Amino acid sequence: MDAAVTAALEDARFDARQNSRFEDLADDVRGRAELAEWERLDQLLAAAPAGTVYAPDTVVQAELAAEAAAAREAELREAARVAARADELHTLEQTDPREGDEAARDELTRRAGGYVQADVDAWLAHALAAHLGHYRDPTAGLLTPPVLAHAALLAELARLVPGAAVDELAFAARLATTEPEATGDLAALLARARSGAS
């Protein structure tokens, strides 16, 4: 196979020299790519132990395995980051929302079940309604419809009754969880009434 690679490399170099003489062929991307690939194969064989035979399937499989390992490592790093953030979210009142908290919410749900999810959803809705941390931008994040409806209702209720305590607004979470669409409609109606009154 060494002789075949050497011959193919020489042919690719000859073609590249020929193409460089003609203006319309000078920008031949395919020819340059082919030459680069034959040069890479030649270097691989030169660095390989004596008697090594180039087997395209083996090389491709090794490259694919390396890419898969890198992707798996990236997934593991992301999972570790999400798990660490989920640990931080156990103290919700002392935590500012950050990008990616939706994934941490899913991790907490996986670990502890729905009762933690309800607390995190309420925290996310409050953060979105008050534009805290990552949710200073109201379009940030990938929040669920119930959380979005809850946040919209909280925002309108906070405008309607500025001094309302968090406990007084707990019903908003129950409404949003059971009837997110109706909760969103109620928030829109309150917003319309408020804008009509001003």
Side-chain angles (χ1 to χ4, degrees), residues 67-85 107 110-111:
E67 289 173 10
R72 180 71 181 133
E73 178 140 343
E75 287 173 12
L76 290 174
R77 279 194 307 272
E78 177 61 12
R81 185 197 65 75
V82 167
R85 181 60 176 165
E107 173 65 13
R110 187 189 63 72
R111 287 186 198 172

Side-chain angles (χ1 to χ4, degrees), residues 1-9 41-42 44-46 48-54:
M1 189 66 181
D2 288 347
V5 169
T6 302
L9 176 59
L41 292 174
D42 188 54
L44 281 172
L45 287 172
T52 299
V53 174
Y54 171 70

Side-chain angles (χ1 to χ4, degrees), residues 98-107 124 134-135 140-143:
R98 293 196 313 227
E99 184 176 356
D101 279 350
E102 299 85 8
R105 168 200 179 269
D106 295 343
E107 173 65 13
L124 288 169
H134 175 59
Y135 298 106
L142 302 169
L143 298 172

Side-chain angles (χ1 to χ4, degrees), residues 110-177:
R110 187 189 63 72
R111 287 186 198 172
Y115 72 94
V116 172
Q117 178 183 331
D119 291 341
V120 176
D121 282 353
W123 173 75
L124 288 169
H126 173 73
L128 182 59
H131 303 290
L132 299 175
H134 175 59
Y135 298 106
R136 282 188 185 93
D137 172 7
T139 62
L142 302 169
L143 298 172
T144 62
V147 173
L148 293 171
H150 184 189
L153 184 56
L154 284 178
E156 290 308 317
L157 291 172
R159 290 181 186 106
L160 187 62
V161 186
V166 173
D167 293 346
E168 292 179 283
L169 303 177
F171 70 91
R174 292 191 303 276
L175 284 175
T177 301

Side-chain angles (χ1 to χ4, degrees), residues 48-74:
T52 299
V53 174
Y54 171 70
D57 290 343
T58 305
V59 172
V60 169
Q61 291 301 323
E63 289 173 355
L64 291 174
E67 289 173 10
R72 180 71 181 133
E73 178 140 343

